[in-house]
Amino acid sequence: MNLEDTIYKRQSIRKYEKSPLGPEILNELRNFISNAKVLNPDIDWSYDIVGPKNFRMLQRFKPPHALLLFSETKQNYLQNIGFIFQQVDLYLQSRGIGSCWIGAGNPKNYDNPNPEQKFIILMVFGKPQGEIYRERSQFERKIVCEISDERDSKLIPAQLAPSAANSQTWYFTHNDDGSYNLYRNKPKFRLNKKMDAWNQIDMGIALAHMYVANQETFKFSLDKPHEELKDKVFEGSFTI
Ligand SMILES: Cc1cc2nc3c(=O)[nH]c(=O)nc-3n(C[C@H](O)[C@H](O)[C@H](O)COP(=O)(O)O)c2cc1C
């Protein structure tokens, strides 16, 4: 399956086979990551692929691998990590490999190799136990009218994107020149003090789905003049 078709089938996988993936598959993954599109080329980031001894997570399930994600903390670095690694989530799932973003997790017995970059989040992956894909009717998502100022089927890839606790805090508006603005809803209350950061990662994840569905035309800009909206944070604009 290609990455675009995977948008309509993927789901977070929380049951894994114990056995690790082979070195060839991990090398292909490294190769995919080095060719993934970045949102902001001015930000240095890095990753490592580790086994169960080098990460811990709040939940009980036991994935055989994790990607530890690191970045410089400048400009839209959280968006940038979400954008790059949502392409990786789609890549893994397109190959029948299960994956799940894990906010509630950390490296363990692991020395950060580059103090210029901070640990941001992890993504676990491995052979899924059971069915990897789901049907479109099984996505629990807001309707497009709730996440946009207009009913617009071009936004369906973003509508289906994963987000922390399925919070879907994105909001899209349409500009007269055909471009879109992306806003993040400010939380009414905060369940978890990390939620603000996770929701910024979510913005990059939604943008990644818009990119994958419009690979030839997608262009992103962080600082176009825009309208301020009440209780929302401007996150950039894009054309598709
Ligand atoms: C930034 C981020 C953090 C997440 N953290 C966790 C987590 O700690 N544990 C977990 O089981 N799922 C986590 N998820 C997965 C979401 O719960 C999941 O994407 C969302 O409920 C939508 O479901 P879906 O991915 O199956 O479409 C996270 C997702 C994102 C984007």
Side-chain angles (χ1 to χ4, degrees):
M1 206 188 305
N2 67 26
L3 295 203
E4 186 176 359
D5 292 344
T6 308
I7 290 174
Y8 304 91
K9 291 269 177 197
R10 66 156 296 288
Q11 60 181 331
S12 291
I13 295 298
R14 298 187 178 87
K15 276 193 183 151
Y16 291 91
E17 302 278 341
K18 259 196 182 145
S19 58
L21 299 164
E24 211 172 287
I25 293 182
L26 296 181
N27 273 338
E28 283 162 13
L29 169 61
R30 287 187 188 95
N31 189 36
F32 179 85
I33 297 173
S34 57
N35 290 308
K37 188 175 170 74
V38 303
L39 201 57
N40 186 336
D42 297 333
I43 302 175
D44 285 338
W45 55 274
S46 59
Y47 72 92
D48 200 0
I49 299 175
V50 298
K53 285 192 183 133
N54 292 113
F55 68 95
R56 72 162 69 87
M57 42 195 272
L58 202 62
Q59 276 129 317
R60 283 259 187 88
F61 64 95
K62 298 250 175 285
H65 304 280
L67 282 155
L68 306 178
L69 312 184
F70 301 88
S71 175
E72 283 186 291
T73 56
K74 65 183 203 191
Q75 298 161 6
N76 56 339
Y77 71 98
L78 294 166
Q79 266 189 358
N80 193 50
I81 285 290
F83 185 82
I84 297 164
F85 284 90
Q86 185 54 26
Q87 295 166 62
V88 174
D89 171 84
L90 292 172
Y91 167 78
L92 289 167
Q93 300 227 359
S94 75
R95 301 208 47 190
I97 300 167
S99 58
C100 187
W101 285 95
I102 297 291
N106 276 322
K108 185 174 85 175
N109 304 324
Y110 185 89
D111 286 329
N112 181 352
N114 181 354
E116 309 271 296
Q117 296 182 17
K118 184 177 104 173
F119 169 72
I120 307 295
I121 192 163
L122 52 97
M123 178 182 284
V124 297
F125 65 100
K127 278 186 211 136
Q129 224 181 66
E131 176 57 42
I132 181 167
Y133 301 123
R134 70 180 153 196
E135 296 304 318
R136 186 68 190 280
S137 59
Q138 294 171 302
F139 278 82
E140 290 176 19
R141 294 295 190 268
K142 293 179 181 174
I143 56 173
V144 170
C145 297
E146 251 183 287
I147 59 161
S148 169
D149 61 345
E150 278 176 31
R151 182 184 300 192
D152 176 355
S153 59
K154 293 202 189 86
L155 289 170
I156 290 173
Q159 178 204 15
L160 299 181
S163 56
N166 209 16
S167 49
Q168 308 166 68
T169 58
W170 35 67
Y171 188 76
F172 299 87
T173 63
H174 294 71
N175 296 319
D176 292 340
D177 64 359
S179 65
Y180 295 78
N181 288 348
L182 169 62
Y183 295 86
R184 173 167 51 91
N185 300 331
K186 285 187 193 158
K188 292 195 182 78
F189 56 91
R190 192 168 281 135
L191 287 173
N192 183 317
K193 65 179 187 330
K194 291 191 177 160
M195 197 45 122
D196 216 54
W198 293 343
N199 283 158
Q200 292 176 61
I201 294 173
D202 295 343
M203 297 302 118
I205 291 175
L207 288 167
H209 277 206
M210 293 310 295
Y211 159 63
V212 166
N214 304 276
Q215 293 196 30
E216 304 305 320
T217 49
F218 178 89
K219 280 208 175 67
F220 176 74
S221 157
L222 200 50
D223 47 18
K224 247 177 92 172
H226 58 273
E227 193 186 342
E228 295 297 339
L229 297 184
K230 190 168 174 275
D231 298 330
K232 297 190 192 310
V233 183
F234 177 70
E235 293 276 338
S237 51
F238 61 92
T239 50
I240 51 174

